[in-house]
Amino acid sequence: MGRKVIIAGNWKMNKNAAEGAALVEELKHICADSGCSCCGEVDVVVCPPFTTIAAVVEAAKGTPIKVGAQNIHWADNGAFTGEISGDMLKTSGVEYVIIGHSERRQYFGETDATVNARLKAALKYGLKPIVCVGELLAEREANRTEAVLSTQIRGGFAGITGEEMAGIVVAYEPVWAIGTGKTATPEIAEAAHAHIRGELAAMFGTEVAEKVRIQYGGSMKSANARELVAQKDIDGGLIGGAALKAGEFAALIREALGK
Ligand code: PEP
């Protein structure tokens, strides 16, 4: 469908400024040494913690590597201790922002309504959102996966225009696969991705839904990236653990491209 593959590394609460810059430097060297042009062929994004962003933006300058944040607040500024605004991210050189990661939903009370508010702030500041959805193990076992995904999509993307939706990245992350080493099979992942695209088509029309990039996330690594990204509706990955080592991340990018 001509959708460009997007591989994003979610560093979570790992890597201080020096460590983050070193990881990007190592990634640059691996790409240069191997003559690999993968970072130009796919969108490669790294999402460090807030205090590491400046160092990573500096290290990534002049390369195709893009920088993302892991959260954004819906207000422009004000009394929101511990939060970060769209303006702060934009002026720090951030291009992407992860919204509604399952760890935010699980540990910090994120809901579809707050996801929606954060999404609107990201769009207001010209940031490219990566919006995470996904079911818990108990929900999958109760055959509620599709219903859960539909609710998250309907709530998370309420009030968004079709034009905005076409530029939003959705990350399907089954919660039972995150950080557990249990990857969804390509068939299970593809079925969920197809459902998500169908739900987007119902909300925004087929033309828009076909433009939306849907990443898979949940223990993706170099060993399984190829078969996952080969699926019709899987357009890349949101990567946790495997994004923390430059060699593995670079190998994963190559596999996702089928090289
Ligand atoms: C994530 O945190 O988004 C994730 C997919 O983590 P992991 O790759 O470690 O499962």
Side-chain angles (χ1 to χ4, degrees):
M1 297 273 84
R3 293 183 295 267
K4 190 174 185 186
V5 169
I6 174 166
I7 303 290
N10 172 16
W11 294 359
K12 312 194 185 192
M13 199 171 72
N14 295 293
K15 307 285 179 194
N16 64 25
E19 292 164 346
L23 200 163
V24 172
E25 290 300 337
E26 210 185 322
L27 202 52
K28 279 161 44 176
H29 284 128
I30 292 171
C31 296
D33 291 350
S34 63
C36 166
S37 58
C38 298
C39 289
E41 291 174 49
V42 300
D43 283 333
V44 174
V45 186
V46 292
C47 303
F50 297 135
T51 52
T52 299
I53 284 173
V56 167
V57 166
E58 188 57 35
K61 249 184 206 150
T63 78
I65 299 168
K66 299 163 174 66
V67 183
Q70 298 173 19
N71 198 9
I72 177 175
H73 196 261
W74 51 83
D76 293 329
N77 50 50
F80 299 102
T81 303
E83 290 286 335
I84 194 113
S85 75
D87 174 61
M88 291 164 189
L89 295 177
K90 190 73 184 175
T91 55
S92 299
V94 161
E95 194 174 330
Y96 285 83
V97 59
I98 298 171
I99 297 172
H101 189 277
S102 65
E103 286 149 18
R104 301 286 323 163
R105 293 178 189 259
Q106 205 174 340
Y107 305 130
F108 302 101
E110 199 81 64
T111 64
D112 295 333
T114 57
V115 165
N116 185 250
R118 293 183 200 277
L119 172 61
K120 286 173 178 161
L123 294 169
K124 175 177 172 182
Y125 284 97
L127 296 163
K128 296 175 183 153
I130 298 176
V131 178
C132 304
V133 295
E135 81 286 1
L136 303 169
L137 181 60
E139 292 167 336
R140 173 158 288 273
E141 287 175 346
N143 282 325
R144 293 192 48 236
T145 298
E146 293 193 350
V148 168
L149 294 175
S150 294
T151 301
Q152 290 174 340
I153 288 164
R154 297 243 162 217
F157 298 127
I160 300 299
T161 67
E163 198 182 334
E164 289 169 335
M165 190 64 230
I168 293 171
V169 178
V170 179
Y172 167 61
E173 299 207 305
V175 181
W176 47 271
I178 296 179
T180 59
K182 285 185 202 153
T183 321
T185 63
E187 293 74 25
I188 287 177
E190 170 57 24
H193 281 234
H195 177 75
I196 290 167
R197 204 176 299 288
E199 198 64 54
L200 293 174
M203 281 179 85
F204 301 99
T206 310
E207 200 181 324
V208 168
E210 287 298 327
K211 286 184 182 153
V212 176
R213 294 185 290 178
I214 308 176
Q215 300 174 305
Y216 169 79
S219 300
M220 194 192 263
K221 45 189 182 279
S222 60
N224 57 28
R226 183 181 293 239
E227 53 177 358
L228 283 161
V229 178
Q231 303 300 309
K232 179 174 153 291
D233 289 294
I234 302 184
D235 307 309
L238 182 55
I239 321 298
L244 294 175
K245 292 213 166 77
E248 169 62 8
F249 192 52
L252 188 156
I253 293 165
R254 275 195 298 277
E255 289 292 330
L257 263 174
K259 291 199 174 181

